[in-house]
Amino acid sequence: MGSNNLIFALDVGTRSIIGVVAEQIDGDKLKIKAQCMLEHECRSMYDGQIHDIPKVASGVSEVKLKLEKKLKCKLDKVAIAAAGRSLKTKRCQVGMDIDENIEVDSTHIHGLEMTALQTAHQQLMAELSGADNFYCVGYSVVCYYLNNFPISNLIGHRGKNIGIEVLATFLPDSVINSLYAVLHRAELEPINLTLEPIAAIDIVIPEEIRMLNLALVDIGAGTSDIAITSDGSITAYGMVPVAGDEITEAIVDACLVDFNTAENIKRQLTKKKITYTDILGIETTVSSQSIIDMIDPILSQLIDKIAREIISLNGNKSPKTVFCIGGGSQIPKLNEMLAERLQLPPVRVAVRGRDMLNNVVKIKKDPISGPDGVTVLGIANIAFKKIGYDFISITINNKDYSLLNAKDLTVAHALGLISYNPRNLIVHNGKDLTFKLNGQSKTLYGELGQPAQIIVNEQPATMQTIIKNGDVIDITSAIPGKDARLTLAELLSSRGCKMNQCNVTVNGLHAEPDYVINCGDEIKIVNQDQQILINNTGKEQWITVVFNGEKITLVDVKEPVFVDIFNFVDFNLTGGQGVVTLKCNGEPVEYTQPLNQGDVIEVYWQDTKIVNE
């Protein structure tokens, strides 16, 4: 499902899967049509990363089925987000010249953003030389520029140059591939992919308050994702690979219970008393405060790591306010301890649930109303903004890649994404060998190169062929032709000569039969009577033909054929456009057509004749 006003969003977390089908009403408000939350039966995900694809896919399929029953319709498209595990960020600024008589529109901005993201990707891969390929999972615009001056919105303006600065986020393609594998097993097609902190901050901190220096912390089970705002834009993303699971594991150790029991204990920490059964089967009732005291050292370590990352991302200072979301943010004392570490008043570190989201229509008795139900709505909100404006998946030479969707994407854009060397597409003929034989200039032409081949979906294509999601592109690099090579023995053999019947010199010096002739060599072949010996007769074999209106003499050619003409004219077979036309005496011929005295030869590209120079 992915119509213009209905989106299926999925938050695949370390401990749970949340699915929401939302409708967009009144311009930009979200209205929840159906939702479902399901916990993983076992620990099939760690630190936000999928470890057991079949089990996670089974959970996603169950959520999808329950939503389909509620809505009585089929769900086949979904918006998703990836956790920030192994997150890399890159800040990049690019610009482009435009026609100052034309207003800037969305197409200009789209192209500008795509260029910035491709540049950021190339810079990141250069820095990580030899590392796994990284996939762009989202970005934020830091600033636009018009004629090199900052501007908040380029639409409708005119100028000579427009620019953009983006903050792009990347994850290893292995992380993304596992997420896509889950969706494929659940028969779902991704229509939008973003990063979880991007989705969260989009709905928690609207643009109108991003002038303030704020931090968002999404504390899940496996990771704590962080985003920072300042001066009207999102300025940094980060993560720490610790979150609620560390607290659960501390409870496992303190109470001698299994992981799921520890999870239940953690969720009851707001109560006064908690009753649980340990691994020995002993039922115990304790005060929640006693458990909070036991986990305090681990919670303190978690808070220290989050606080240090916030300060680092924010230019070595604390933000003005911190918003906390995610299931892990509900642990007692967490917000107070974080405020203390950041040296902020306790009221400046607040846990936010759905009731604080201004652009979400409130529903009565919302079963996922807390901070753990926020990110999935951010995923839906991002998807509404990015419909038709996200990433497409393509395959190039049997390897999967993603490309920011844009109008009229071509093969050239795809090759730019993977940093394919365009020189590999240029055909090069072998080098010619030019030398003098008995005072006459001779040229042996290099072998013709084989041009590159571009195939899209098993059909011949060009660099300008338009591509779309799912296309399979196969590129075969051009194969250069071999350089012309000739030894003295080969030269003499072609002329009917033998070394013992004549004197042979190269540049005035005696040379052996295996000598390889170089460009510029001056070769003389003289018989024992000092007569220039050609074909054992002292007389050259030749014919005269007419080539594109000019008389050309083919000298020293036994049994000449059509292709021999190119040894006597200055003409490049790869220099034209289209298909070369070959004619002899007005009739189409092949390269192997025998030539006779007086033949009239024509060679041209389509309707444009090539004149012999």
Side-chain angles (χ1 to χ4, degrees):
M1 180 179 296
S3 64
N4 288 335
N5 66 340
L6 209 61
I7 285 289
F8 174 26
L10 198 61
D11 182 7
V12 182
T14 301
R15 290 297 303 153
S16 63
I17 301 169
I18 302 176
V20 168
V21 177
E23 179 183 18
Q24 195 171 44
I25 62 172
D26 299 334
D28 61 353
K29 281 198 171 186
L30 293 182
K31 181 179 181 181
I32 298 172
K33 303 289 289 183
Q35 60 182 336
C36 175
M37 181 175 180
L38 176 73
E39 290 194 2
H40 297 292
E41 293 183 356
C42 60
R43 298 190 73 181
S44 52
M45 292 184 64
Y46 292 84
D47 296 343
Q49 186 170 343
I50 297 168
H51 282 246
D52 193 324
I53 289 175
K55 288 182 179 178
V56 176
S58 176
V60 169
S61 297
E62 186 175 344
V63 169
K64 170 190 168 187
L65 181 61
K66 289 182 177 180
L67 291 173
E68 287 175 337
K69 287 183 177 180
K70 290 180 181 179
L71 295 168
K72 297 181 180 179
C73 69
K74 180 73 174 175
L75 299 176
D76 53 11
K77 294 180 172 61
V78 67
I80 55 173
R85 180 74 174 176
S86 305
L87 176 70
K88 302 289 183 183
T89 62
K90 191 69 183 175
R91 200 159 175 162
C92 180
Q93 183 174 339
V94 299
M96 65 169 60
D97 294 331
I98 59 171
D99 186 341
E100 58 184 324
N101 296 313
I102 299 176
E103 288 187 356
V104 176
D105 59 20
S106 59
T107 302
H108 290 106
I109 295 175
H110 201 169
L112 194 63
E113 292 179 358
M114 186 180 72
T115 301
L117 292 182
Q118 289 178 340
T119 302
H121 182 265
Q122 291 166 2
Q123 291 176 354
L124 177 66
M125 295 312 297
E127 293 174 3
L128 301 174
S129 56
D132 291 340
N133 189 42
F134 275 70
Y135 184 108
C136 183
V137 291
Y139 67 97
S140 299
V141 176
V142 177
C143 189
Y144 291 109
Y145 296 91
L146 180 67
N147 295 337
N148 298 318
F149 289 97
I151 193 168
S152 60
N153 192 338
L154 285 168
I155 294 291
H157 288 279
R158 299 173 189 259
K160 294 182 179 180
N161 183 277
I162 57 176
I164 189 174
E165 184 177 9
V166 299
L167 179 62
T169 59
F170 300 87
L171 289 176
D173 56 4
S174 57
V175 174
I176 305 307
N177 289 340
S178 62
L179 189 54
Y180 279 177
V182 165
L183 297 184
H184 178 73
R185 286 172 178 256
E187 299 182 350
L188 287 169
E189 176 189 344
I191 58 169
N192 184 262
L193 170 65
T194 189
L195 191 70
E196 288 183 358
I198 291 179
I201 203 167
D202 184 74
I203 200 160
V204 174
I205 304 179
E207 293 184 6
E208 56 266 25
I209 64 172
R210 291 180 190 173
M211 289 299 297
L212 300 171
N213 185 199
L214 308 174
L216 174 77
V217 184
D218 184 354
I219 306 173
T223 62
S224 296
D225 297 316
I226 301 167
I228 306 291
T229 69
S230 180
D231 299 326
S233 65
I234 301 170
T235 56
Y237 293 106
M239 61 81 63
V240 290
V242 292
D245 277 357
E246 274 67 28
I247 304 302
T248 305
E249 289 166 358
I251 296 174
V252 167
D253 186 62
C255 300
L256 293 179
V257 294
D258 60 41
F259 191 87
N260 288 335
T261 301
E263 272 289 304
N264 290 330
I265 293 173
K266 183 175 69 175
R267 293 170 187 173
Q268 297 180 66
L269 289 177
T270 54
K271 298 180 179 180
K272 290 185 177 181
K273 297 287 184 179
I274 300 174
T275 300
Y276 64 90
T277 302
D278 64 21
I279 59 174
L280 299 175
I282 301 173
E283 185 176 278
T284 303
T285 299
V286 297
S287 68
S288 58
Q289 185 60 49
S290 66
I291 297 178
I292 292 173
D293 292 340
M294 286 188 289
I295 65 173
D296 186 78
I298 302 300
L299 179 60
S300 182
Q301 292 176 20
L302 169 64
I303 296 300
D304 283 343
K305 291 177 181 179
I306 293 174
R308 282 199 299 268
E309 184 68 9
I310 290 174
I311 291 171
S312 175
L313 292 172
N314 197 46
N316 296 319
K317 65 180 186 298
S318 295
K320 300 296 184 184
T321 295
V322 178
F323 296 113
C324 297
I325 63 169
S329 67
Q330 301 175 92
I331 298 172
K333 293 178 57 179
L334 183 145
N335 56 333
E336 292 92 338
M337 293 173 70
L338 184 56
E340 182 183 349
R341 298 297 196 282
L342 295 173
Q343 297 182 347
L344 294 173
V347 294
R348 294 297 184 187
V349 178
V351 177
R352 301 202 75 170
R354 288 182 175 178
D355 58 323
M356 301 295 292
L357 304 179
N358 294 329
N359 62 334
V360 176
V361 178
K362 308 300 184 295
I363 58 177
K364 293 181 179 180
K365 298 181 179 180
D366 187 347
I368 323 175
S369 61
D372 51 344
V374 171
T375 298
V376 69
L377 296 180
I379 296 171
N381 201 47
I382 287 279
F384 277 120
K385 295 178 180 179
K386 300 292 184 180
I387 289 177
Y389 189 49
D390 52 357
F391 291 85
I392 64 171
S393 296
I394 57 175
T395 301
I396 304 177
N397 289 350
N398 298 317
K399 190 171 182 180
D400 295 332
Y401 296 92
S402 65
L403 183 63
L404 182 67
N405 198 4
K407 182 181 179 181
D408 296 338
L409 286 177
T410 65
V411 171
H413 288 117
L415 297 188
L417 163 74
I418 66 171
S419 302
Y420 186 89
N421 189 346
R423 295 181 183 275
N424 293 337
L425 299 174
I426 302 173
V427 63
H428 293 282
N429 295 331
K431 294 180 181 179
D432 299 337
L433 175 62
T434 302
F435 59 94
K436 285 189 176 181
L437 176 60
N438 294 339
Q440 291 188 345
S441 180
K442 301 292 181 183
T443 300
L444 180 64
Y445 287 92
E447 183 181 78
L448 295 178
Q450 298 181 27
Q453 290 187 332
I454 301 175
I455 305 295
V456 176
N457 301 329
E458 301 183 351
Q459 297 296 321
T462 69
M463 292 288 283
Q464 306 310 316
T465 297
I466 302 297
I467 60 173
K468 61 185 183 303
N469 187 53
D471 277 354
V472 177
I473 304 171
D474 293 299
I475 308 291
T476 302
S477 298
I479 301 175
K482 295 180 180 179
D483 295 343
R485 186 182 186 278
L486 188 67
T487 65
L488 278 180
E490 291 169 339
L491 174 63
L492 291 169
S493 176
S494 69
R495 310 178 74 81
C497 302
K498 296 182 179 179
M499 289 293 289
N500 61 2
Q501 294 176 337
C502 55
N503 296 321
V504 182
T505 60
V506 178
N507 303 324
L509 301 174
H510 173 76
E512 297 298 326
D514 60 355
Y515 174 80
V516 179
I517 300 171
N518 296 308
C519 281
D521 281 351
E522 293 192 13
I523 302 169
K524 287 188 179 180
I525 304 175
V526 182
N527 69 1
Q528 294 179 356
D529 297 326
Q530 301 301 312
Q531 178 186 6
I532 295 177
L533 181 63
I534 303 295
N535 298 322
N536 289 327
T537 65
K539 179 181 179 181
E540 294 185 341
Q541 292 183 352
W542 57 272
I543 65 170
T544 298
V545 298
V546 178
F547 176 79
N548 285 354
E550 293 188 15
K551 286 186 177 182
I552 301 295
T553 299
L554 280 64
V555 182
D556 305 339
V557 181
K558 283 184 177 183
E559 300 179 356
V561 293
F562 194 96
V563 74
D564 292 326
I565 191 70
F566 299 111
N567 288 327
F568 296 88
V569 297
D570 187 8
F571 162 59
N572 185 355
L573 278 172
T574 64
Q577 297 292 328
V579 178
V580 67
T581 298
L582 312 175
K583 287 188 177 181
C584 182
N585 300 323
E587 297 294 331
V589 296
E590 302 292 336
Y591 285 110
T592 55
Q593 170 76 21
L595 292 182
N596 298 306
Q597 189 78 14
D599 279 347
V600 177
I601 295 169
E602 296 176 274
V603 180
Y604 56 90
W605 296 94
Q606 297 177 348
D607 296 327
T608 304
K609 292 188 177 182
I610 299 171
V611 179
N612 176 33
E613 299 178 352

